[in-house]
Amino acid sequence: MSPDLNYEDVTLIWLDENINENFDCLDTKCRLCTIVNYFKVFDNVQETVDYVQSALHEHLFLIVSGSLGETVLSCIHNEFQLKFIFVFCMNKEKHSEWTYKYEKICGIFIDKYELFHNLTAKVRIYEKSLLTISIFNRSYTTGEEHSIRDYTIEENVNLMWLEAFINILLDVPLDKNVAKQDMIAECRLYYTNNPAELKKIDEFENNYCPETVINWYTRDSFVYRLVNKALRMLNIDIIFKFRFLIIDLYQQLKQCHIDYMKSLSTIDPNKVIHTVYRCQHIGTHELEKLKASIGNMICPNSFFSTTEDCLMAQSFVAGSSSSECVIFQIDIPDSYYQNAVDTSNYICPFLKIENLSQFQSESEVIFSLGALFRIESVEKYNMWFVCLKFEDGNDELIKDFYQTDKLENQTYDWQSRCSVEDRILLLTEKFPLSSRNIINIYIKYGVFADVDGLTTAKTLTTYRKGFELLMKCLPDYHYALTIAMQLSIGLLYCNRGERFLAIQFGEEALHVAETYLQIDHECSLICYNYLAVIHQIEDQYTESLSIYEKMLSIAKEHDNSSALLAIYFDINRITCDFGDYEYEMVSLKKMVELERKLGCENLENNYYQFGSYYERQENFTIALYYYKEHFQCLLKKHACLIDLLRSYSRIGKMYEKYNHYIAALQIYIRVLLAEPITLISYGCSLLRNQISHEFIPNIKLKYNYILISQFVSNIKKNVS
């Protein structure tokens, strides 16, 4: 955490041409720094204007001298990122003449202690009111940081990644003492020049325990400011540094929520939480998004602070003339309490924290990360009211959102997962069970596309960053994650048509596997499989086959029959595509041999594969034998009618190929008569697909074509 970057919400600017290094100025700077850590000092109007106009994603508070105020405000007052202005001067009456024109001015101050008091109050209220919400709705595109995010593909992945990251923090073993010391060291580095925060950091180090986490989170301190902005902006680096505290906060909220739910039968019904409020300023265009999203879901990106007191909520609001004041009214329906049976499965706990908070008079109710709310209405009275309903996870949309990782909870093995993507996911089988779902999701969905559908350098950087954070969480699996990262990024380049880069990433992954994971031969096999597929896509048959043969050598050396079977399957596929019939037959026989060894022989598939092979060799007699056996397998397993008809038609085609026309015609007619309705729903006539152009002329020479064609024509009419 570099002191040169702002990890808090507010940036404070002080512009005064008379700033110097005398004691009073130094004292003022020190005191201002304790209020806002990220602090910029200017004595030049143009430099100030340039900075304000460049800080598009910051929340700027400006202290300006009376002599420069009117000049600088004429240039920057309407900048969206400039939130509040404080005029600090020697003559209040003189500057009252021009300050009334600017709505963002909070006051004119001649006493610095009065300035400190008002600035502190305004900063605290503003920080408290900041919130980022993701909307499950159609996309909007803007260039600013907003309090409401669009649920575009990028936001989808960001939010999914945040949820996934929190889950992995909860599940992966953590040495909290080490994590705590890491966090404290980073905070001390960031607040090097802020003695007030350094004192709080010392207090945190000496007195913190999990039971006090809510108190610390609600205090006016570095904890709230750093954690809240990191969550709101999805700054995974900072989230990781505060991982133990986020875990403690979530777990205490959940345990207290369980205790609260268990006590419902004994507490005063008036103390049951039914309605809470939150008030904040949002931009006009953001309000329009809310109005267009009625019935949809929203999800705050951080712990969500509310209060049971509507008037109290309105006191915690700070905004500007370019925004609208909105009261969010959140209803917790009776059904939530009635349906709460299994207390261990509360997904998003909430809690009234008055006894645990630093500010007990605020009647604060805090919702955990990932809470979901349905937008019920957006209406204008004396101010805008947005009515939300807390959702408890029973809604299908909510289940889909929360259970994404469960949907990805699959076992990957060499036989059942044949695509190159799934073979990469074989790496996840090596990770702790609790983290596999998270890594599966990130590998499969972690990269999002830009508006043109192309993966950009920025998204690749984000993707790589996510893997690096996974490596921090799972340091014992650093090299396996490195391989997964290289192969996943390589696939993205492959999909973009940049095959040279795709091969380069594959070779880098293979180098890691062969250098650092020699004892785990499957990592090398996965890398070789990736490279073989890339060469195959490039129609480089010789190179691809050579790699598969290298894989065979490795799998045989380690007696890995499962991998051998999968490799022979891939060899069979590539030799079939490139017409290498001799090698194709070798691979088919090896597949059957290995299936029998592993006890997973698939007679149905094998008969079909051999039939297809001999058909392409134009050995129709042997092909007919295997297709008949394939048909018998389908009959025994009571396959669906369409599969049976396909297989039976294939037999007819073999009879036709070696001129047994009567047998072929009998089969085709039986296919037509089998189930006309099914054939119609299938979309096309199997007879039309199977009968060759030469078939009818040959029939005509040997049989009474008129009678047969009339018969077939009548059948076709009936089918139609």
Side-chain angles (χ1 to χ4, degrees):
M1 293 173 64
S2 169
D4 296 328
L5 299 175
N6 188 8
Y7 295 99
E8 295 185 356
D9 287 307
V10 174
T11 297
L12 180 62
I13 302 170
W14 184 14
L15 170 63
D16 192 324
E17 61 185 348
N18 296 317
I19 288 178
N20 52 52
E21 297 302 317
N22 63 37
F23 176 79
D24 187 59
C25 278
L26 289 174
D27 179 66
T28 301
K29 288 180 184 178
C30 288
R31 290 178 181 272
L32 289 174
C33 187
T34 64
I35 301 170
V36 179
N37 188 71
Y38 198 71
F39 180 35
K40 296 286 186 180
V41 177
F42 296 96
D43 59 6
N44 179 278
V45 169
Q46 189 56 50
E47 289 179 1
T48 307
V49 171
D50 292 343
Y51 179 79
V52 169
Q53 292 178 342
S54 67
L56 297 177
H57 302 292
E58 299 298 319
H59 302 267
L60 306 179
F61 283 46
L62 173 65
I63 300 173
V64 62
S65 66
S67 58
L68 299 181
E70 189 170 14
T71 303
V72 73
L73 292 186
S74 65
C75 301
I76 62 173
H77 179 267
N78 293 329
E79 295 291 338
F80 180 82
Q81 60 272 25
L82 181 61
K83 305 302 180 181
F84 299 102
I85 301 160
F86 302 81
V87 179
F88 187 32
C89 62
M90 302 293 292
N91 189 331
K92 190 171 185 177
E93 291 183 4
K94 175 182 177 181
H95 297 294
S96 297
E97 297 175 2
W98 60 267
T99 54
Y100 75 92
K101 296 184 296 184
Y102 298 104
E103 295 179 349
K104 294 182 182 179
I105 292 179
C106 298
I108 305 172
F109 303 92
I110 57 176
D111 179 77
K112 67 179 181 180
Y113 297 102
E114 184 184 3
L115 171 66
F116 300 154
H117 176 76
N118 280 271
L119 177 63
T120 301
K122 188 65 74 173
V123 167
R124 180 170 181 269
I125 290 173
Y126 187 77
E127 289 176 335
K128 195 84 171 177
S129 70
L130 285 174
L131 177 69
T132 300
I133 297 174
S134 292
I135 301 180
F136 294 75
N137 200 5
R138 63 178 180 269
S139 301
Y140 288 77
T141 304
T142 56
E144 305 164 352
E145 179 204 342
H146 299 302
S147 60
I148 297 176
R149 290 176 178 263
D150 306 313
Y151 201 69
T152 60
I153 294 174
E154 179 172 343
E155 296 305 334
N156 182 348
V157 175
N158 276 343
L159 196 56
M160 184 187 298
W161 171 239
L162 177 62
E163 293 285 334
F165 191 68
I166 297 302
N167 286 334
I168 202 171
L169 290 181
L170 291 170
D171 292 335
V172 174
L174 172 69
D175 187 329
K176 287 193 175 183
N177 288 328
V178 172
K180 178 182 174 182
Q181 291 306 315
D182 287 345
M183 185 202 86
I184 289 171
E186 290 289 343
C187 290
R188 283 205 174 103
L189 176 64
Y190 182 62
Y191 290 105
T192 299
N193 300 315
N194 191 330
E197 290 303 323
L198 288 173
K199 184 177 179 181
K200 292 175 185 176
I201 293 170
D202 290 338
E203 181 187 352
F204 181 90
E205 181 177 26
N206 295 326
N207 300 330
Y208 174 83
C209 63
E211 291 72 26
T212 62
V213 64
I214 292 177
N215 183 280
W216 273 101
Y217 181 73
T218 57
R219 285 180 64 173
D220 180 19
S221 74
F222 66 98
V223 172
Y224 177 84
R225 289 194 287 270
L226 295 180
V227 171
N228 230 39
K229 183 175 181 180
L231 290 171
R232 201 176 66 255
M233 300 303 295
L234 301 177
N235 187 327
I236 305 299
D237 286 322
I238 306 302
I239 292 172
F240 180 80
K241 289 178 171 63
F242 280 79
R243 61 196 183 279
F244 90 94
L245 189 138
I246 293 171
I247 292 169
D248 282 352
L249 182 54
Y250 176 86
Q251 290 177 337
Q252 188 174 18
L253 280 175
K254 184 170 184 178
Q255 184 55 54
C256 291
H257 184 71
I258 290 172
D259 295 341
Y260 163 70
M261 296 297 286
K262 288 180 177 179
S263 70
L264 288 176
S265 60
T266 60
I267 65 174
D268 183 346
N270 293 323
K271 293 186 178 181
V272 176
I273 304 169
H274 285 292
T275 304
V276 293
Y277 304 90
R278 180 184 178 90
C279 190
Q280 69 183 86
H281 276 264
I282 64 174
T284 304
H285 55 289
E286 298 173 274
L287 179 61
E288 291 302 316
K289 295 177 199 175
L290 284 171
K291 290 162 66 176
S293 302
I294 294 173
N296 288 295
M297 310 298 296
I298 63 174
C299 177
N301 285 19
S302 60
F303 292 95
F304 186 45
S305 179
T306 65
T307 176
E308 290 185 292
D309 187 335
C310 186
L311 293 177
M312 179 68 70
Q314 293 177 60
S315 69
F316 282 102
V317 63
S320 62
S321 57
S322 60
S323 60
E324 296 278 356
C325 184
V326 174
I327 292 182
F328 290 92
Q329 176 181 305
I330 300 110
D331 294 323
I332 302 169
D334 291 336
S335 60
Y336 175 77
Y337 296 107
Q338 294 165 358
N339 296 333
V341 178
D342 185 357
T343 57
S344 64
N345 287 329
Y346 291 125
I347 298 171
C348 293
F350 60 86
L351 180 67
K352 186 174 182 178
I353 60 173
E354 57 185 355
N355 295 326
L356 301 170
S357 171
Q358 179 75 7
F359 304 99
Q360 298 186 9
S361 63
E362 294 178 0
S363 300
E364 185 173 3
V365 176
I366 188 169
F367 291 83
S368 180
L369 281 169
L372 282 173
F373 305 90
R374 188 179 299 279
I375 304 173
E376 298 287 298
S377 64
V378 181
E379 297 178 349
K380 179 72 177 287
Y381 300 104
N382 59 324
M383 63 178 66
W384 285 98
F385 273 77
V386 178
C387 293
L388 307 176
K389 185 177 78 171
F390 176 64
E391 297 288 352
D392 61 355
N394 290 320
D395 183 274
E396 288 302 317
L397 173 62
I398 300 167
K399 288 179 180 177
D400 288 344
F401 178 77
Y402 282 123
Q403 296 182 14
T404 303
D405 58 339
K406 294 181 181 178
L407 295 175
E408 295 303 321
N409 187 12
Q410 306 174 55
T411 299
Y412 291 86
D413 56 53
W414 283 98
Q415 279 75 56
S416 62
R417 305 293 172 180
C418 299
S419 71
V420 65
E421 293 90 348
D422 284 340
R423 293 280 170 82
I424 294 173
L425 290 173
L426 283 170
L427 290 165
T428 65
E429 299 299 310
K430 305 177 185 303
F431 301 131
L433 184 61
S434 61
S435 62
R436 288 179 195 170
N437 295 346
I438 307 306
I439 299 169
N440 285 349
I441 289 171
Y442 195 62
I443 290 174
K444 293 181 76 171
Y445 305 115
V447 173
F448 40 82
D450 62 16
V451 291
D452 298 319
L454 298 175
T455 304
T456 63
K458 181 179 179 181
T459 57
L460 284 172
T461 300
T462 303
Y463 196 38
R464 188 187 296 271
K465 180 179 174 182
F467 272 110
E468 290 169 355
L469 288 163
L470 278 169
M471 293 172 200
K472 290 181 181 180
C473 285
L474 299 165
D476 293 340
Y477 300 89
H478 175 88
Y479 294 119
L481 283 165
T482 300
I483 293 169
M485 176 181 70
Q486 300 283 40
L487 297 183
S488 299
I489 292 175
L491 269 185
L492 293 168
Y493 280 114
C494 178
N495 294 336
R496 291 172 58 173
E498 299 181 49
R499 306 284 158 66
F500 175 78
L501 282 173
I503 291 173
Q504 190 175 66
F505 274 96
E507 289 173 344
E508 290 175 6
L510 179 61
H511 173 74
V512 173
E514 293 186 331
T515 304
Y516 302 105
L517 296 174
Q518 295 172 329
I519 60 173
D520 190 346
H521 72 283
E522 285 202 342
C523 290
S524 295
L525 286 178
I526 292 166
C527 295
Y528 277 121
N529 178 78
Y530 165 91
L531 288 168
V533 170
I534 302 299
H535 283 295
Q536 188 176 347
I537 292 172
E538 288 288 280
D539 291 332
Q540 297 170 342
Y541 171 71
T542 304
E543 291 84 350
S544 183
L545 189 58
S546 174
I547 293 172
Y548 281 127
E549 288 174 340
K550 174 68 174 176
M551 293 173 67
L552 285 176
S553 174
I554 295 172
K556 287 176 182 177
E557 180 183 348
H558 293 85
D559 195 25
N560 190 336
S561 298
S562 176
L564 279 171
L565 176 56
I567 296 164
Y568 275 119
F569 178 85
D570 292 333
I571 290 174
N572 175 258
R573 186 168 50 188
I574 188 175
T575 51
C576 175
D577 290 343
F578 286 92
D580 189 339
Y581 296 123
E582 182 178 353
Y583 207 158
E584 182 184 356
M585 176 52 68
V586 170
S587 63
L588 277 173
K589 290 179 178 179
K590 285 290 185 181
M591 286 166 59
V592 173
E593 177 186 327
L594 286 163
E595 283 179 354
R596 288 173 180 168
K597 178 180 178 180
L598 294 169
C600 61
E601 186 174 10
N602 186 339
L603 286 174
E604 174 193 331
N605 180 68
N606 290 341
Y607 284 134
Y608 173 78
Q609 292 289 348
F610 278 100
S612 177
Y613 170 81
Y614 283 110
E615 180 184 354
R616 282 181 280 109
Q617 290 282 76
E618 298 187 357
N619 192 333
F620 302 120
T621 303
I622 299 179
L624 176 62
Y625 165 78
Y626 283 111
Y627 282 146
K628 283 183 176 180
E629 293 298 320
H630 176 256
F631 181 70
Q632 290 300 318
C633 288
L634 292 177
L635 286 174
K636 288 178 182 178
K637 79 168 197 176
H638 304 291
C640 68
L641 181 62
I642 288 298
D643 287 342
L644 286 168
L645 295 180
R646 280 189 188 134
S647 180
Y648 199 44
S649 298
R650 207 174 284 119
I651 293 171
K653 186 178 179 182
M654 292 305 99
Y655 278 120
E656 179 190 345
K657 288 290 186 180
Y658 67 89
N659 301 329
H660 282 214
Y661 297 115
I662 288 294
L665 183 61
Q666 287 175 339
I667 288 174
Y668 291 146
I669 291 173
R670 286 171 187 163
V671 168
L672 282 173
L673 293 175
E675 189 64 66
I677 295 175
T678 304
L679 289 177
I680 292 170
S681 66
Y682 183 58
C684 63
S685 169
L686 286 172
L687 181 66
R688 187 181 308 148
N689 287 341
Q690 297 296 342
I691 297 180
S692 67
H693 294 296
E694 296 82 11
F695 178 66
I696 293 298
N698 287 327
I699 287 286
K700 187 176 181 180
L701 293 174
K702 295 190 176 186
Y703 305 100
N704 189 331
Y705 174 69
I706 297 176
L707 291 176
I708 294 175
S709 61
Q710 182 67 46
F711 181 56
V712 173
S713 176
N714 290 336
I715 294 174
K716 286 184 177 181
K717 287 179 181 178
N718 291 332
V719 171
S720 300

